[in-house]
Amino acid sequence: MIETVDLITDTRNRREKLREMMRLDGADACLIASNLHIFYLTGSIFAGVVYLHCDGTERFFVRRPVGMTGSQIRYIRKPEQIPDLLEQDGLPLPKVVWLEGDELSYGEWARLSQVIPGTRCVQASARLRTLRSVKTTYEQAQLIESGRRHALAYQKIPSFYRPGITDEAWTIELEREMRLNGCLGLFRIAGQSMEAFMGSTLTGDNAGAPSPYDFALGGAGMHPSLPIGQNGTVLKPGQTIMFDMGGNFTGYMTDMSRVFAIGHVPSEALRAHQVSMEIHQALSESGKPGKSGEALYDLAMDMVSAAGLSDYFMGLSQKARFVGHGVGLVVNELPVLGAKSRDVLEEGMCIAVEPKFVLPSIGAVGPEDTYIVRSWGMERITPGNQEIVVI
């Protein structure tokens, strides 16, 4: 059982850690304006700007919603009011300011960069990603709860099957079950060109269809405007179906895949799935603080090569060059367990491990599970059987 603090205390601690990073970087203050980081730093979302100064000063400049109260809150109509409000409170104006670059549009960045005259603005998204990569005990508790409820919903998957069902119809039944169990539905993804609705389902040849998105596997999708995942394939005997959904039950997402077989599937699919489970075991034992993401990726690749399954690993014509990624408020956080990754594991990181194989005409195999890095290895927080379940 994780002992945790309340959200107010936890977000206060996160803000102080951010100040420590700013001090080390030579920044005076930051202006935070994205929903993602406003929530991370305050525990709520509002339209406006979070202002943190290294001297401990913090102000929440709010446009909407009305009715927020507190000594730190100042209501504004536009961000250009911020300097005057700081001066009214007797606060010095900063010289070096951190701004989010990746989370804001060019127009938002350009506007905020001109708000405080005479400041030098620094792109700080990479620093913020690094800060978010190590989860507090409060965040770990939220992730563990998401993992528990995620797994409970997956237990119902076999009951939704009926002969002649399509991958899309089966997915809708799972989405409904997850929503009934409290899933928020929102699937936050870092990167402007990454999109998905709750996750994806893959079966048959569609499992090998390449996607423009940087997910582990692709799928043609149901429409050209969202080319990822299920495409309406009718399930047939001898095929597998992989459900890969994001479990956002607490604002913090777990990532989990489970594979089901329609009757008997070829032995090669069963063998590939077994290798995937063995990779999970090896990475969970080796994934200790200090281990690099590249080393864990290389370990997985060595096991795949030894099994003679390289042609099927992480796609067919288009292959992903990673076997795991951080998860949290977004589904693709740091660290990355990938080729040439410089990320190094730290205790408290939360990582989705997904060594997957695609067998032509059969489908995808290999579980995905979410882990928290501990001193002794990685602890799985998406419980349940990893084996292929025969329908």
Side-chain angles (χ1 to χ4, degrees):
M1 184 69 178
I2 290 181
E3 293 184 4
T4 185
V5 299
D6 62 90
L7 177 59
I8 293 174
T9 302
D10 200 63
T11 52
R12 185 184 300 124
N13 292 340
R14 296 178 212 172
R15 296 196 296 272
E16 183 52 39
K17 288 181 179 178
L18 179 55
R19 287 192 188 92
E20 291 173 8
M21 293 180 73
M22 289 193 296
R23 293 183 190 111
L24 290 172
D25 198 50
D28 301 315
C30 65
L31 293 170
I32 301 298
S34 71
N35 285 352
L36 171 66
H37 288 129
I38 288 177
F39 181 79
Y40 177 75
L41 294 170
T42 71
S44 64
I45 289 178
F46 57 83
V49 179
V50 171
Y51 174 82
L52 304 179
H53 196 283
C54 285
D55 65 6
T57 299
E58 49 190 42
R59 292 290 185 271
F60 304 153
F61 296 104
V62 181
R63 292 191 296 111
R64 293 188 302 271
V66 299
M68 293 180 65
T69 59
S71 60
Q72 303 158 316
I73 292 174
R74 301 289 185 273
Y75 269 89
I76 60 173
R77 290 177 291 102
K78 55 185 180 179
E80 285 77 10
Q81 295 173 263
I82 290 174
D84 287 342
L85 290 171
L86 292 174
E87 290 182 340
Q88 287 175 23
D89 287 343
L91 300 172
L93 297 182
K95 297 299 183 184
V96 181
V97 175
W98 274 10
L99 292 181
E100 303 154 283
D102 297 344
E103 290 76 19
L104 303 180
S105 68
Y106 173 77
E108 290 170 320
W109 166 279
R111 184 175 186 179
L112 281 178
S113 68
Q114 299 299 315
V115 160
I116 302 177
T119 58
R120 178 169 66 87
C121 294
V122 177
Q123 213 283 52
S125 285
R127 283 89 155 178
L128 289 162
R129 282 196 296 271
T130 298
L131 177 64
R132 292 202 327 267
S133 68
V134 178
K135 274 55 180 182
T136 66
T137 55
Y138 176 89
E139 293 179 292
Q140 291 175 40
Q142 305 311 302
L143 285 155
I144 289 169
E145 176 61 13
S146 274
R148 183 187 71 83
R149 293 161 75 177
H150 201 167
L152 283 175
Y154 271 35
Q155 290 178 6
K156 296 288 189 70
I157 291 175
S159 68
F160 303 139
Y161 175 76
R162 61 182 183 274
I165 196 171
T166 66
D167 55 2
E168 169 72 352
W170 205 346
T171 302
I172 290 170
E173 293 295 332
L174 176 57
E175 290 170 348
R176 180 177 184 274
E177 181 65 24
M178 291 180 69
R179 294 287 285 121
L180 289 173
N181 279 275
C183 183
L184 301 175
L186 180 62
F187 194 83
R188 278 199 173 99
I189 309 171
Q192 295 299 313
S193 64
M194 294 276 280
E195 301 171 311
F197 179 74
M198 289 184 70
S200 69
T201 304
L202 296 171
T203 188
D205 285 328
N206 186 50
S211 168
Y213 303 136
D214 192 22
F215 295 114
L217 300 180
M222 296 297 297
H223 191 270
S225 67
L226 191 61
I228 186 71
Q230 60 274 10
N231 69 340
T233 296
V234 176
L235 273 294
K236 299 177 182 177
Q239 290 181 329
T240 62
I241 181 167
M242 174 185 286
F243 294 92
D244 183 0
M245 310 294 283
N248 183 4
F249 293 87
T250 63
Y252 287 84
M253 279 187 288
T254 48
D255 206 356
M256 182 180 184
S257 296
R258 289 294 183 266
V259 178
F260 300 81
I262 309 304
H264 173 76
V265 294
S267 60
E268 192 74 344
L270 300 176
R271 187 170 75 89
H273 192 87
Q274 179 61 39
V275 171
S276 176
M277 291 192 294
E278 292 169 1
I279 292 172
H280 272 269
Q281 183 65 30
L283 297 191
S284 67
E285 293 174 355
S286 298
K288 300 176 182 178
K291 199 78 170 183
S292 73
E294 182 180 36
L296 293 172
Y297 175 77
D298 289 344
L299 173 58
M301 292 301 293
D302 288 344
M303 295 177 69
V304 170
S305 178
L309 293 168
S310 299
D311 289 346
Y312 308 125
F313 191 56
M314 302 304 284
L316 294 174
S317 61
Q318 178 174 292
K319 292 180 176 292
R321 290 175 58 79
F322 64 89
V323 295
H325 55 90
V327 289
L329 290 175
V330 299
V331 78
N332 53 338
E333 297 202 337
L334 296 178
V336 176
L337 311 186
K340 300 182 180 179
S341 171
R342 297 180 180 179
D343 300 335
V344 176
L345 268 58
E346 296 182 47
E347 191 165 357
M349 285 180 165
C350 190
I351 302 171
V353 175
E354 52 177 335
K356 297 174 178 177
F357 297 86
V358 177
L359 287 302
S361 77
I362 299 168
V365 297
E368 178 176 12
D369 277 299
T370 301
Y371 298 81
I372 294 177
V373 178
R374 306 297 189 197
S375 61
W376 42 265
M378 297 198 296
E379 175 191 4
R380 183 157 67 104
I381 63 169
T382 41
N385 178 27
Q386 290 185 324
E387 303 272 356
I388 293 178
V389 175
V390 178
I391 302 296

